[in-house]
Amino acid sequence: MEGTVNHELIYEFLIQYGGGGISLMKDYWEEGIAFICIDHKEKRNALSGKMCTELRKCIEELENWKTGKAVIMMGEGINFCSGADLDFVRKECNPTAGYYLSSYMHDILIRFRKLPLITVTLLHGIAVGGGAEISTYTDYLLVTDNARVGFVQGTMGIITAWGAETRLIQLIGQRKALEVLLSSKIYNAQELLDMGLAYKIVETKTMIEETLDFVRSLTTHHYSIIQSYKFVSNVALEKCFVESLNVEKREVCTKWGAELNREALRKRIKHIKDNK
C-alpha cells in the first residue's frame, strides 16, 4: 500500500460518510487567534469522514494566514472528541479503509503540527481513541478538571491509527508511552498533568477564558517573531518523525479490519459509562 497517496481519491471516499462538522471560528482573528471547533455532539464529537475533510480545509486556511499567531482546537458541547465515528468504521472495516483514513489524517496532523502558529488543544470531557491522538499534536494540551483521556485502541483490536504512539514517545518517553498504550487506561486531568502530557488544568466553567488568557500570554510579540520561533522548534523536532509515522501506519493497516478489530466492533464496547 505504500507509495504516493492519492488524497483526492481518499477525499471522495471519506466525504460520503456525513454527520457533524468542523469549522474555523474567527471571533479573535484580529488578535491573531483562531479556534478549530469539532461539532458532532450527538456522537460525542466523533469524527465522520466528512469532518476529516473539513479539518483539512481548516488547516489549509491556517497555512495561508500570514498574520496568525495561535490556534486553539476544542470540541463543542460537553466533550472534546471520541475518535472516529464507529458507524463509519463498522461499514469500512477493512485494511484499505484503514490505510485511507490513516494516510489522510497523518497528512492533516503533520501539517497541523508544522503550522507556524502556537497550537493548543483545549480538552474537556471525554477524549478516547482518535480524539486522544489528535490532542497529542499541539504544542500545548490544556485539560479541564473533568477531562478523561484514554488511548483505548488496543481494546479495539488495533493500534494508534493517527500517529499517537510516535507523538507520545516524543512527549513522555518510550516506557511511559508504552504503559499508556498497553494499559488502555482512562486518565484523569491530574494524572495527565503529572505524566507531562497535559501542560495545565483549567476549570470547566471558565475553560475558554482561561485558555485565551494562556494563549495571549504567549502571543504578545509580533506575529513574525512568533512564527519564526515556532518554525525553528518544528525543525528541531522533525528528524525521524515522518519515518516513525510511516512505520506506525503500516502496522495499523495490518490490524484494521482484522478479526480482533471486527470482534471488538461487534461487542460495541463502552470505554466510559454514561453519567446517570
Side-chain angles (χ1 to χ4, degrees), residues 257-275:
E259 182 52 35
L260 274 176
N261 184 211
R262 290 175 179 275
E263 182 181 351
L265 289 169
R266 286 193 293 268
K267 291 179 180 178
R268 298 180 178 272
I269 299 168
K270 285 194 174 183
H271 301 294
I272 299 178
K273 293 180 180 180
D274 295 323
N275 293 326

Side-chain angles (χ1 to χ4, degrees), residues 75-95:
E76 297 287 355
I78 62 172
N79 297 304
F80 175 65
C81 176
S82 59
D85 184 345
L86 289 184
D87 288 335
F88 158 67
V89 174
R90 290 187 183 98
K91 289 177 182 177
E92 295 291 350
C93 188
N94 60 79

Side-chain angles (χ1 to χ4, degrees), residues 211-229:
T211 302
L212 279 170
D213 286 345
F214 173 74
V215 170
R216 285 169 177 148
S217 74
L218 300 176
T219 54
T220 58
H221 295 308
H222 189 271
Y223 66 82
S224 65
I225 300 299
I226 294 166
Q227 290 182 13
S228 288
Y229 270 131

Side-chain angles (χ1 to χ4, degrees), residues 2 18 44 73 116 124-125 133 152 179 211 219 241 257 260-261:
E2 288 299 319
R44 288 181 167 173
M73 179 177 283
H124 66 298
E133 292 201 60
V152 299
E179 178 188 332
T211 302
T219 54
F241 181 70
L260 274 176
N261 184 211

Side-chain angles (χ1 to χ4, degrees), residues 77-142:
I78 62 172
N79 297 304
F80 175 65
C81 176
S82 59
D85 184 345
L86 289 184
D87 288 335
F88 158 67
V89 174
R90 290 187 183 98
K91 289 177 182 177
E92 295 291 350
C93 188
N94 60 79
T96 298
Y99 176 76
Y100 280 177
L101 185 57
S102 180
S103 296
Y104 201 81
M105 289 301 292
H106 274 201
D107 179 69
I108 291 170
L109 293 171
I110 289 171
R111 290 165 66 180
F112 184 38
R113 185 170 168 271
K114 286 184 175 180
L115 286 173
L117 311 171
I118 302 303
T119 57
V120 177
T121 295
L122 170 54
L123 193 158
H124 66 298
I126 293 168
V128 293
E133 292 201 60
I134 290 171
S135 74
T136 67
Y137 275 84
T138 50
D139 302 317
Y140 297 96
L141 171 59
L142 273 56

